[in-house]
């Protein structure tokens, strides 16, 4: 099928960018979205043009690298799917697709569709360590964990840190990301000793990075390729409130 | 006291302050609306209610102080968080395709500004009386009739109640989430309560200017 792409082209962090139009006459419906970009890039290289820079790594939906906003939707139109798992069979012959980088002040554009998302890594770093006894592997089920808690912790732990929540949020807030991390550690017994110190540090870092606040629109959950629940944000709020009220640091 | 400043500086802290003050203000508007309905019991009942409130003296001023402080915190947190959100995305998208945002959620900011303008006007209109054409202290019923007898004023009151409906719909349904309460058993209850309040409170308020506009009370 024949597609028209409008792709954000920006040479470097300080350069001005613009949407540039490309025609691709031979897109197979079996291609993934990234493979379609690969084909376009090969053509651009043959023509002596600079290929479109975009992030990608595992191409199997678990690394969270393939950040791009497709027709206004981070990771494209398909629910619960990363860009690499989006296939061209979603599209019809003659479609026009607009591809932009994730937009947030905390995610500066590096080049074209590549943005710097280390702000999320710094939030994780601020969260610090989880104290565990090392040595021999502990017996399975030595620490009892209620099944619903384990389920919710694992659901939150699915977050791949891709930043789609930030990209989709009208306030460019990282609350779903921080909520997922705080929930997945805070629901498990192993995460308890640092639980309240962790939430204070992560929220402080999140604010420092220049993310916005949550206004409960729910766009983050809609865009999340792992469909992280908004309940993680409520838990982040609850833990932050309790931590603020009970903190005993000097 | 440093922790309070730190709490309020954080985005989540300000959101929690906004939600808590919002909850208090929701209680106030609900009570205010039911009190207003006494106007349909006639001049004597309404004036007696007004005199009762005025007679509370120190208690009345305590209530006013709490409400004013709540309002100021509510507005300040909203204002600063809005500025922060605007700074968090300076370069916007060429295409956007929101899927989750409700009409009421989108109306929070402009609706909030409209409500703030309305609240200031309303206090100077029917409490202080300085923007009222014929304000007579102690004659609450008469002041409502002459004040809302001006049709553009009545229409402004009605427009503000439209904004209040949207503000309550999103505000009430999301304040529990901000206060950290989210549970599959409770979420539908909160949504229903929000919808009910968003209908009942503004309609109850709007009944008064509508009744004056159409001459049902005089």
């Amino acid at each position: 099928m024949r597609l028209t792409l409008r792709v954000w082209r920006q040479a470097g962090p300080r350069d001005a960018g613009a949407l540039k139009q490309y025609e691709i006459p031979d897109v197979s419906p079996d291609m993934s979205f990234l493979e379609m970009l690969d084909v376009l890039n090969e053509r651009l290289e043959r023509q002596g043009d600079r290929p479109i820079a975009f992030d990608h790594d595992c191409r199997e939906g678990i690394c969270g690298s393939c950040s791009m906003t497709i027709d206004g939707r981070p990771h494209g139109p398909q629910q619960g799917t990363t860009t690499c798992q989006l296939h061209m069979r979603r599209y019809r012959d003659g479609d026009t697709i607009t591809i932009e980088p994730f937009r947030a002040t905390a995610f500066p554009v590096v080049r074209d569709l590549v943005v710097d998302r280390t702000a999320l890594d710094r939030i994780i770093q601020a969260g610090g360590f989880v104290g565990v006894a090392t040595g021999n592997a502990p017996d399975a089920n030595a620490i009892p964990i209620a099944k619903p808690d384990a389920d919710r912790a694992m659901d939150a732990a699915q977050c791949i840190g891709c930043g789609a929540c930030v990209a989709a949020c009208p306030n460019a807030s990282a609350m779903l990301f921080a909520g997922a991390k705080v929930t997945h550690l805070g629901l498990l017994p192993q995460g308890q000793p640092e639980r309240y110190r962790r939430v204070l540090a992560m929220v402080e870092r999140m604010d420092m990075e220049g993310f916005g606040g949550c206004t409960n629109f729910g766009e983050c959950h809609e865009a999340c390729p792992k469909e992280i629940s908004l309940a993680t944000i409520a838990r982040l709020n609850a833990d932050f409130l309790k931590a603020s009220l009970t903190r005993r640091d000097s | 006291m440093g922790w309070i400043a730190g709490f309020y500086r954080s985005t989540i802290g300000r959101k929690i302050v906004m939600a808590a003050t919002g909850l208090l203000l929701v209680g106030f508007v609900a009570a205010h609306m039911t009190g207003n309905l006494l106007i349909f019991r006639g001049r004597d009942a309404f004036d007696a209610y007004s005199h009762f409130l005025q007679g509370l003296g120190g208690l009345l001023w305590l209530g006013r102080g709490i409400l004013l402080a709540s309002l100021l915190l509510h507005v300040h947190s909203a204002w600063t968080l809005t500025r922060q959100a605007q700074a968090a995305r300076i370069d916007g998208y060429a295409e956007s395709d929101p899927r989750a945002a409700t009409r009421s959620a989108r109306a929070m900011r402009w609706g909030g500004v409209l409500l703030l303008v309305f609240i200031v006007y309303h206090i100077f209109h029917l409490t202080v009386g300085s923007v009222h054409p014929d304000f007579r202290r102690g004659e609450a019923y008469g002041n409502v009739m002459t004040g809302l007898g001006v049709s553009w004023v009545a229409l402004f009151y009605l427009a503000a109640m439209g904004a209040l409906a949207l503000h309550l719909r999103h505000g009430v349904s999301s304040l529990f989430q901000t206060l950290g309460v989210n549970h599959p058993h409770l979420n539908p209850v909160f949504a229903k309560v929000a919808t009910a309040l968003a209908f009942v409170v503004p309609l109850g308020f709007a009944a008064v200017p509508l009744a004056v506009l159409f001459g049902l009370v005089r």
Side-chain angles (χ1 to χ4, degrees), chain B residues 152-172:
Chain B
W152 73 263
V153 174
L155 289 175
F156 177 49
Y157 271 64
L158 292 173
M161 290 312 105
L164 180 65
L166 292 168
H167 213 72
L168 285 175
R169 177 67 188 80
H170 181 74
V172 175

Side-chain angles (χ1 to χ4, degrees), chain B residues 33-216:
Chain B
M33 184 278 287
T34 53
N36 283 8
L37 294 179
L38 279 172
I39 209 154
F40 296 105
R41 300 281 304 268
R43 181 183 295 270
D44 293 344
F46 194 72
D47 281 351
Y49 171 61
S50 159
H51 292 146
F52 159 74
L53 290 178
Q54 293 293 335
L56 291 174
L59 215 56
L60 176 68
W61 281 101
L62 179 70
R64 283 172 170 171
I66 293 171
L67 286 171
L68 184 64
S70 299
L71 184 68
L72 289 177
L73 283 170
H74 197 74
V75 170
H76 183 263
S77 53
W79 181 266
T80 54
L81 283 168
T82 300
R83 296 303 298 245
Q84 185 180 332
Q86 287 165 344
R89 180 172 293 125
I90 292 166
D91 298 321
Y93 289 107
E95 293 269 329
S96 73
D97 180 15
R99 294 285 173 91
T102 57
R103 192 186 316 233
S104 59
R106 279 179 243 228
M108 286 314 266
R109 285 173 184 157
W110 68 259
V113 171
L114 178 63
L115 283 172
L116 181 63
V117 171
F118 170 75
I119 290 164
V120 173
Y121 178 80
H122 176 54
I123 289 172
F124 285 103
H125 186 225
L126 285 175
T127 306
V128 179
S130 54
V131 295
H132 190 284
D134 182 24
F135 191 78
R136 295 175 191 193
R137 196 154 295 283
E139 294 182 25
Y141 187 92
N143 289 336
V144 171
M145 293 306 134
T146 49
L148 294 181
V150 185
S151 51
W152 73 263
V153 174
L155 289 175
F156 177 49
Y157 271 64
L158 292 173
M161 290 312 105
L164 180 65
L166 292 168
H167 213 72
L168 285 175
R169 177 67 188 80
H170 181 74
V172 175
S173 66
S174 80
L175 72 86
F176 296 99
Q177 161 88 2
T178 303
L179 294 175
V181 185
N182 179 313
H183 192 280
H185 291 170
L186 294 173
N187 297 346
V189 177
F190 296 151
K192 286 196 180 79
V193 168
T195 307
L197 283 173
F199 272 101
V200 172
V201 173
L203 282 178
F205 275 129
V208 178
L210 282 174
V212 176
L213 213 53
F214 291 102
L216 301 174

Side-chain angles (χ1 to χ4, degrees), chain A residues 166-187:
Chain A
V166 176
C169 176
N171 310 316
S173 173
M175 295 266 287
L176 193 70
F177 168 78
K181 302 307 169 193
V182 160
T183 299
H184 114 237
L185 296 170
L187 273 169

